[in-house]
Amino acid sequence: MTAYLKRSAVLGALARRTITSSHKPAAVAATAFQPATDSGPIFPPFFPSEPKRPELISLQIPGPKAKAAIQDLDQYFDTRSLNMMADYHKSIGNYIVDPDGNRLLDVYAQIASIPVGYNNPDLLALANTPEMISSLVNRPALGNFPQSDWASILKGGVLKVAPKGLDKVFTAMAGSDANEIAMKAAFMWKRQQERGGPGVDFSPEEIKSVMNNAAPGSPQYSIMSFRGGFHGRTFGVLSTTRSKPIHKLDIPAFDWPQAPFPSLKYPLDQHAKENAEEEARCLAEAEDIIKNFHHPVAAIIIEPVQSEGGDNHASPSFFRGIRELTTRNNILLIVDEVQTGVGATGKFWAHEHWNLPTPPDMVTFSKKAQTAGYYYGKSELRPNKPYRQFNTWMGDPTKAILFRGIVDIIERLDLVQNTARVGDYLFAGLENLAQRYPNQIQNLRGKGQGTFIAFDSPRRDEVLRKAKGEGVNLGGSGERAVRLRPMLVFQEHHG
Amino acid sequence: MTAYLKRSAVLGALARRTITSSHKPAAVAATAFQPATDSGPIFPPFFPSEPKRPELISLQIPGPKAKAAIQDLDQYFDTRSLNMMADYHKSIGNYIVDPDGNRLLDVYAQIASIPVGYNNPDLLALANTPEMISSLVNRPALGNFPQSDWASILKGGVLKVAPKGLDKVFTAMAGSDANEIAMKAAFMWKRQQERGGPGVDFSPEEIKSVMNNAAPGSPQYSIMSFRGGFHGRTFGVLSTTRSKPIHKLDIPAFDWPQAPFPSLKYPLDQHAKENAEEEARCLAEAEDIIKNFHHPVAAIIIEPVQSEGGDNHASPSFFRGIRELTTRNNILLIVDEVQTGVGATGKFWAHEHWNLPTPPDMVTFSKKAQTAGYYYGKSELRPNKPYRQFNTWMGDPTKAILFRGIVDIIERLDLVQNTARVGDYLFAGLENLAQRYPNQIQNLRGKGQGTFIAFDSPRRDEVLRKAKGEGVNLGGSGERAVRLRPMLVFQEHHG
C-alpha cells in the first residue's frame, strides 16, 4: 500500500508540480491524501502485469518518433486535434504508451471510452473467438438479415444491463446516431399521438409535403436541450449541442430551444439554499419554454452530468423535477448517458442516482459500451411501420459482443463498486488539495459520483500540460475544467 | 461451364418461375442467355469450396427455426424490416444460409455491403492478426490519440484506392455520417470563403448567434440534392434524401432544395434525343435553383446511380454538366459513392465513367469499404481550426484494416474487371429475357455499369418473393425496381 502511495500519480502530479509549480518529493505531496486511504483495506491490482508508474523517455511529448509519425499522417488526415500519438500494442491496463516509449497513466481513456484497460486479457481472448471473427468479416445488415445469435448477444450484454423499465433497444454505432435515432423516435411518437394512434395512416398531405421537407409531413417540432449540453455533431444532435461555438460555427441548425442548466455553487453544503433556488429557476424556465416555444417540443434531451460542457452537475431533485415536467406536459425525456453510462459514476447508469418516480422514456449509450443505441420501454416508442427507424447496418455485432465481454468483466470484478470507492478516495484527496490550494482547485465537484470528478482551474491548459510532463494524461472540458475520466479498472494505487 | 450454366441461378430463376409463372427445366430457360457465355473463356470459381447451387430445406422461408428466433428477437429489437434471418457461420462465398439450413444465392449482399464473399478465407485470417485484435480491444479516439500505424493502415487501403485527385480523407463510421461530415465541410468552406479565407476569425456576432442556432453563426445555407436521391437518415442527410416518404415522415427537415433527376427512357439507343433533352432540362432547372433558391446553396450532393430511389441512371454527359455548373457557380460537388463505390459498376469508383474535367470536390464512401468517410483534394476543405470536424472515434481502425484486406483481394483477383465482365454477361442475358417477356422486364438499365443492373417489374414484390422460393435472394428499390447487387466475387456460373 505504501509503495503505491509513494507514486500516487494523479494527486501526486497535481500536488508536486502542476498546482504548486514546485517539484517536491512525491512522498511529501502524498501526505495530502494519506488519511483517506490508510484506514481502508488493501486492493490487489486488477492488472498484475501493469507497470508500477509512468515513465518518460523523450525530453518532451511528442518525442522524435511520434513527431515524424504525426508529420506523415498529417498529409492525409487532419492532426490538428491530436493530443498524443499512441502505440496500443504496448499500452496496458491504465497505461498508454507512445511511439517513443513514453508511458503515461491514462486518466482520460480515449475521451472516457475505454472501460476495462488496454489489452485487457479477457477481451483479447474474446477477440480471437469464431463468434467475433465471423461477425467481423460477415457484417450483417441487422434490420434486414440479422444473425441468428443476435438476440443472445443482446441478452448477454446490452439487455442484461438495460436501465430498469427499459427492456428494448435500437442499436446504433456511436453517440451521435444513438441520440439522433432517439430524437427521431420522439418526433414519430409525438405525431402519432396527435394523429390518433399507431393505426391511423399518414394523410395524403403529409405524404406529399414531406418530400419537399415541409409541414405537415416534416413538422416544425423541436427538441429542447440545455445550455452547456453536448449531444454530438451530426446536424440533428448538433442543433441540441450548446457547449462551445467551435462545434457549431458555419453549420445550419434547427430553430430549437435551450433551457438554462443550473449553475451550482461549491461546496454544495455551504450553498444549499441558493442552489435550490437556482434549480427551481431553471425548471420554471424549462417549463415556460415547453409551454410557449413557437415550435412544439417533442422531447427533452439531457446529460446526467454535462461533460463536454464543463462537468456541470445538478441535484437528483432537479432531475426529478425534469421528469415531472415532461410527464405533466406530455413530452418525452431522453437521458443521454453516452459519457456517464457504464459505471463511471459509481452506478451502472448515472440516472440511478436520481430515484425517479418513472424511468426515463429513452436512455442513450455509447463510448465505454463500444456499441451504441437507445433503450426504451414503452411499445409506442417502436415506430408503427417498418423502415421508419432503419439504416444499412443498424449497429455492429462486433461491438455488441465486446460490450457483452465488458459487462462480464464489470460483474466479475465488481467494477461499479470499485469505481464508487475509488471515486470517494480521489475526491477526498482532491478536497484536501483544494483546501491547500484554493486558487488552483476551484468548484471541486462529483462527490459520491464515482470517478466522475472535476474541478476548475484558472490555469487549466497549463495544468493539463504539466500533468503530461509528470506522466499523467488528463482531460479538460468546457472553458476551465479539469475532468477525471479514468477507466473502471482505475484503483487507489493509481490515484 | 455447361455444368454451371445448367444452374444459372439468377437468370434461371427469373426465367423459370418468377417471370413466366411456370416451372420449366432450368436448361430450357438457360438457353435464353447461352450465347453471351459460350464464346467466352472459362473462369475458375473464386471459392472452390462454395456449393454449386442453392438448396431449400424448409417448406418456406422463414422455416420453423428462423420463425422461433425471430419471435424471440422481436421482444427486444424491432424485426418488422426483417427479410431473412441468417447463420453467418455457415454462409460461404455468394451463398447465405439461414437457421433452417436453407442456402440462397445472395444477390443482395447485405444491401450491397459485402464485397468479397461470406467467410472469405483471407479476411478470416486477417481478423485473427495481432493488429486487428489490438484495434478491436483498444479502440482509439482517432482525432486525439491515433494509433501510430494509422497512416500505414490508411495508405494500404483507404488511400491506395483514393479517387484521382483526392488524396486526403476524413474517416467516419457509415454512409450517413460520411455524408454529414462532407456537408459540414462544404458549409465551412463556403462561409470561410465569404469571410475572406482561413486566416479570418469568426466575428463576435457569429460566435454569439451560433449558440442560439441562429444566423450568422448558423447560416441558413443549403445543400441541393436530387429528386429520388438517398443519402442517409440522420437529420442532415435525411433533408437531402428524396426517395420515399416513409424515410422522412414526422421528422423535421431543413428547408433545402431538390432538383429534378433525369427520367430516362429505355432502351437508351432508341431514345437518344429525348433523353438528351431531359438531361438538359434537369441541368437548367438545377442551375436555376442554385442561382435563385432563398437559402444559398453551398454544395450539390448526388449519387452516380440513384440506388435506393429505384436505380435511376443518367449519362456521363449529365454528370459533366453538373460538374460544370458547380464550378461556374462556385459551389462544391459531393459525389455519394456509398453504394456505387468499390468496384460494383466495373470501375473502382462509378464517377470514373464520367471523364470529368476536374475531380469531384468530395467523394463519400462506405458499405463494401466497411469503413466510411469522405475523400477530398483541396486543402481548403480541411477546416481551418482543430475540433471543427471531430468526434470521439472518427471512424474505426478495425474497419479500415478490413478495407485494406478487401483492397488486396480486389487487386489480386482483379475483381473490378471481373465485375465489368460478369455485368456484361448478366446484362446480355437479361436483355434476352426482356425481349421474350417485355411486360415483365421493363426499362432494363445498367449496360456497361458492371453488375449495377436493374429493371422494373409491375409485379416487383412477387418477383422478389418467387426468386427467394427458387433460392435466390434479390433486392428491390424504389417502387418497382428489381436491383442486382451481387458481391464482387459473383461469377458467370452464378448468373
Side-chain angles (χ1 to χ4, degrees):
Chain A
M1 190 70 178
T2 320
Y4 295 143
L5 260 184
K6 276 197 189 145
R7 302 298 316 181
S8 296
V10 177
L11 299 171
L14 288 173
R16 266 197 302 283
R17 263 185 55 180
T18 316
I19 301 297
T20 63
S21 297
S22 76
H23 205 157
K24 298 178 196 168
V28 175
T31 58
F33 46 90
Q34 271 182 348
T37 58
D38 272 6
S39 55
I42 293 172
F43 300 100
F46 294 129
F47 282 84
S49 60
E50 200 181 39
K52 292 279 174 285
R53 59 191 65 89
E55 186 175 23
L56 300 185
I57 304 284
S58 62
L59 283 177
Q60 53 176 15
I61 297 175
K65 285 184 193 163
K67 258 190 198 155
I70 294 167
Q71 204 170 12
D72 178 36
L73 178 60
D74 190 66
Q75 297 169 71
Y76 321 106
F77 186 84
D78 189 6
T79 63
R80 272 171 301 177
S81 312
L82 192 142
N83 179 318
M84 188 180 137
M85 191 164 258
D87 181 341
Y88 294 105
H89 292 281
K90 295 189 179 141
S91 302
I92 180 161
N94 292 276
Y95 287 89
I96 186 170
V97 174
D98 86 350
D100 295 282
N102 299 298
R103 185 174 68 220
L104 281 76
L105 182 71
D106 193 355
V107 196
Y108 196 31
Q110 309 298 324
I111 320 180
S113 72
I114 297 283
V116 291
Y118 294 116
N119 289 301
N120 183 294
D122 295 315
L123 295 189
L124 290 174
L126 180 63
N128 206 10
T129 56
E131 179 191 33
M132 180 66 89
I133 291 172
S134 172
S135 294
L136 191 56
V137 307
N138 304 313
R139 187 174 187 182
L142 285 169
N144 275 171
F145 303 93
Q147 54 205 86
S148 50
D149 55 356
W150 182 230
S152 128
I153 292 169
L154 291 176
K155 283 189 237 180
V158 169
L159 292 167
K160 193 176 187 185
V161 295
K164 202 179 156 194
L166 309 183
D167 60 348
K168 294 180 270 294
V169 71
F170 271 92
T171 48
M173 291 175 66
S176 277
D177 63 319
N179 283 333
E180 292 235 341
I181 62 175
M183 284 162 38
K184 286 174 71 169
F187 288 120
M188 292 183 207
W189 169 87
K190 188 76 183 167
R191 289 290 300 135
Q192 173 170 297
Q193 211 180 47
E194 292 171 344
R195 208 176 276 120
V200 183
D201 222 336
F202 307 109
S203 71
E205 203 187 345
E206 285 176 312
I207 289 171
K208 193 174 171 208
S209 59
V210 78
M211 298 312 287
N212 293 318
N213 291 2
S218 293
Q220 294 213 344
Y221 280 23
S222 67
I223 304 287
M224 187 174 81
S225 58
F226 288 82
R227 209 164 287 150
F230 181 91
H231 305 286
R233 291 170 173 267
T234 45
F235 283 77
V237 290
L238 189 61
S239 294
T240 67
T241 283
R242 312 280 185 165
S243 47
K244 287 177 195 154
I246 197 72
H247 305 322
K248 293 168 70 75
L249 279 156
D250 295 347
I251 312 301
F254 289 108
D255 180 17
W256 292 353
Q258 61 178 329
F261 192 83
S263 176
L264 300 188
K265 293 198 170 146
Y266 294 87
L268 292 176
D269 52 12
Q270 292 171 29
H271 301 86
K273 184 161 174 281
E274 57 199 297
N275 285 341
E277 284 168 3
E278 165 71 356
E279 292 192 337
R281 178 187 74 83
C282 293
L283 283 173
E285 196 165 324
E287 187 147 21
D288 184 59
I289 291 168
I290 294 167
K291 288 190 189 304
N292 298 309
F293 193 73
H294 49 281
H295 299 319
V297 176
I300 282 179
I301 187 165
I302 193 165
E303 297 156 280
V305 180
Q306 286 189 335
S307 308
E308 172 64 24
D311 264 47
N312 308 314
H313 291 251
S315 73
S317 143
F318 173 76
F319 288 103
R320 284 194 297 274
I322 290 287
R323 169 78 285 193
E324 279 157 26
L325 74 85
T326 54
T327 306
R328 193 162 56 236
N329 290 283
N330 188 34
I331 64 172
L332 298 175
L333 173 59
I334 304 169
V335 178
D336 175 348
E337 293 243 26
V338 168
Q339 186 156 164
T340 54
V342 191
T345 70
K347 305 269 188 192
F348 201 95
W349 302 107
H351 75 267
E352 293 170 38
H353 288 285
W354 303 340
N355 193 24
L356 291 181
T358 55
D361 297 294
M362 288 179 265
V363 171
T364 61
F365 61 99
S366 183
K367 287 197 186 263
K368 286 190 181 66
Q370 304 295 300
T371 182
Y374 73 85
Y375 292 107
Y376 66 107
K378 294 185 186 126
S379 56
E380 311 95 86
L381 286 175
R382 190 179 282 191
N384 68 337
K385 286 172 192 275
Y387 290 105
R388 300 193 69 190
Q389 192 75 285
F390 186 83
N391 56 62
T392 297
W393 286 320
M394 297 193 73
D396 182 345
T398 65
K399 310 301 186 199
I401 292 171
L402 266 182
F403 189 34
R404 194 192 60 199
I406 289 162
V407 167
D408 283 349
I409 296 167
I410 289 175
E411 291 185 346
R412 183 160 44 77
L413 300 180
D414 205 4
L415 292 181
V416 180
Q417 183 51 39
N418 175 76
T419 302
R421 195 195 65 241
V422 172
D424 288 346
Y425 165 81
L426 281 174
F427 195 89
L430 283 167
E431 227 172 9
N432 201 320
L433 281 180
Q435 281 162 6
R436 293 181 174 214
Y437 309 108
N439 294 328
Q440 304 308 327
I441 299 192
Q442 299 170 344
N443 303 320
L444 178 66
R445 49 204 186 268
K447 188 170 191 171
Q449 300 281 313
T451 55
F452 224 88
I453 296 170
F455 59 86
D456 293 334
S457 169
R459 297 183 294 132
R460 192 268 309 274
D461 291 345
E462 193 186 336
V463 168
L464 301 183
R465 201 170 55 248
K466 286 191 168 176
K468 197 179 262 181
E470 290 275 318
V472 177
N473 184 38
L474 280 176
S477 70
E479 292 308 314
R480 51 199 199 106
V482 175
R483 58 174 157 172
L484 304 192
R485 237 20 49 109
M487 304 171 191
L488 306 179
V489 290
F490 192 90
Q491 294 176 275
E492 281 85 349
H493 65 265
H494 299 111
Chain B
M1 190 69 176
T2 321
Y4 295 145
L5 259 184
K6 274 196 189 147
R7 304 296 318 183
S8 298
V10 178
L11 299 170
L14 290 173
R16 266 197 303 283
R17 264 186 53 181
T18 317
I19 301 297
T20 64
S21 297
S22 77
H23 206 157
K24 298 179 196 168
V28 175
T31 58
F33 47 90
Q34 271 180 350
T37 58
D38 272 7
S39 56
I42 292 172
F43 300 100
F46 294 129
F47 282 85
S49 60
E50 200 181 39
K52 291 279 175 286
R53 61 192 66 88
E55 185 174 24
L56 299 183
I57 303 283
S58 62
L59 283 176
Q60 54 177 11
I61 296 174
K65 285 184 195 165
K67 258 189 198 157
I70 294 167
Q71 205 171 9
D72 178 36
L73 179 60
D74 190 66
Q75 298 169 71
Y76 321 105
F77 186 86
D78 189 5
T79 63
R80 272 171 300 178
S81 312
L82 192 142
N83 179 318
M84 189 180 135
M85 190 163 257
D87 182 341
Y88 295 105
H89 292 280
K90 295 189 179 140
S91 303
I92 181 160
N94 292 275
Y95 287 89
I96 186 170
V97 175
D98 85 351
D100 295 283
N102 298 298
R103 185 175 67 221
L104 281 76
L105 181 70
D106 194 356
V107 196
Y108 195 30
Q110 308 299 324
I111 319 180
S113 71
I114 297 282
V116 290
Y118 294 115
N119 289 301
N120 183 294
D122 296 315
L123 295 189
L124 290 173
L126 181 63
N128 206 9
T129 56
E131 178 190 34
M132 180 66 90
I133 290 172
S134 172
S135 294
L136 191 57
V137 307
N138 304 314
R139 187 175 187 181
L142 285 169
N144 275 171
F145 304 94
Q147 54 204 91
S148 49
D149 54 356
W150 182 230
S152 129
I153 292 169
L154 291 175
K155 284 188 234 179
V158 169
L159 292 166
K160 193 175 187 185
V161 295
K164 202 178 155 193
L166 309 182
D167 60 347
K168 295 180 268 295
V169 70
F170 271 92
T171 48
M173 292 175 66
S176 277
D177 63 317
N179 283 333
E180 292 235 340
I181 61 175
M183 284 162 37
K184 286 174 71 170
F187 288 120
M188 292 182 207
W189 170 85
K190 188 75 182 167
R191 289 290 299 135
Q192 173 170 297
Q193 211 180 45
E194 292 171 345
R195 208 175 278 121
V200 183
D201 222 335
F202 307 110
S203 72
E205 202 187 346
E206 285 177 312
I207 288 171
K208 193 173 171 209
S209 59
V210 77
M211 297 312 288
N212 293 317
N213 291 2
S218 292
Q220 295 214 344
Y221 279 23
S222 66
I223 303 288
M224 187 174 80
S225 58
F226 288 81
R227 209 165 288 150
F230 181 91
H231 305 286
R233 292 170 172 266
T234 44
F235 283 78
V237 289
L238 189 61
S239 294
T240 67
T241 283
R242 312 281 185 164
S243 46
K244 288 178 194 153
I246 197 72
H247 305 320
K248 293 168 69 76
L249 279 156
D250 296 347
I251 312 301
F254 289 108
D255 180 17
W256 292 353
Q258 61 179 328
F261 191 83
S263 176
L264 301 187
K265 292 195 172 151
Y266 293 87
L268 291 177
D269 52 13
Q270 291 171 30
H271 300 87
K273 184 162 173 283
E274 59 198 295
N275 285 340
E277 285 167 4
E278 166 70 355
E279 293 193 336
R281 178 187 73 83
C282 293
L283 283 173
E285 197 165 324
E287 186 147 22
D288 184 58
I289 291 168
I290 294 168
K291 289 191 187 304
N292 298 309
F293 192 73
H294 48 280
H295 299 319
V297 175
I300 282 179
I301 187 165
I302 193 165
E303 298 155 280
V305 180
Q306 287 190 333
S307 308
E308 172 64 25
D311 264 48
N312 308 314
H313 291 250
S315 74
S317 142
F318 173 77
F319 288 102
R320 284 194 297 273
I322 290 287
R323 168 78 285 191
E324 280 157 25
L325 73 86
T326 55
T327 306
R328 191 161 59 235
N329 291 282
N330 188 33
I331 64 172
L332 298 176
L333 173 60
I334 304 169
V335 177
D336 175 348
E337 293 242 29
V338 168
Q339 187 156 165
T340 53
V342 191
T345 70
K347 304 270 188 193
F348 201 96
W349 301 107
H351 74 268
E352 294 170 38
H353 288 284
W354 304 341
N355 193 22
L356 291 180
T358 55
D361 297 293
M362 288 179 266
V363 171
T364 61
F365 61 99
S366 184
K367 287 196 185 267
K368 285 190 182 66
Q370 304 295 300
T371 183
Y374 73 85
Y375 293 107
Y376 65 108
K378 294 184 187 125
S379 57
E380 312 94 88
L381 285 175
R382 189 178 283 192
N384 68 338
K385 286 173 192 275
Y387 290 105
R388 300 193 71 188
Q389 193 75 286
F390 187 82
N391 56 62
T392 297
W393 286 319
M394 297 193 75
D396 182 346
T398 65
K399 309 304 186 198
I401 292 170
L402 267 182
F403 189 33
R404 194 192 58 199
I406 289 161
V407 167
D408 282 349
I409 297 167
I410 290 174
E411 291 185 346
R412 183 160 44 80
L413 300 179
D414 204 4
L415 291 182
V416 178
Q417 183 51 37
N418 174 75
T419 302
R421 193 194 68 240
V422 172
D424 288 347
Y425 164 82
L426 281 173
F427 195 90
L430 283 167
E431 226 170 9
N432 202 320
L433 279 179
Q435 281 161 6
R436 293 180 174 213
Y437 309 107
N439 293 328
Q440 304 308 328
I441 298 191
Q442 300 170 345
N443 304 320
L444 178 65
R445 49 204 187 269
K447 188 171 190 168
Q449 299 282 312
T451 55
F452 223 88
I453 296 169
F455 59 87
D456 293 334
S457 169
R459 297 184 293 131
R460 192 269 309 271
D461 292 346
E462 195 186 333
V463 168
L464 300 183
R465 203 172 50 249
K466 286 189 170 175
K468 197 178 262 182
E470 289 275 320
V472 177
N473 184 39
L474 280 176
S477 70
E479 293 306 314
R480 54 202 196 103
V482 175
R483 58 174 157 172
L484 304 192
R485 232 30 39 113
M487 304 170 192
L488 307 179
V489 289
F490 192 90
Q491 294 176 275
E492 280 85 349
H493 65 266
H494 299 112

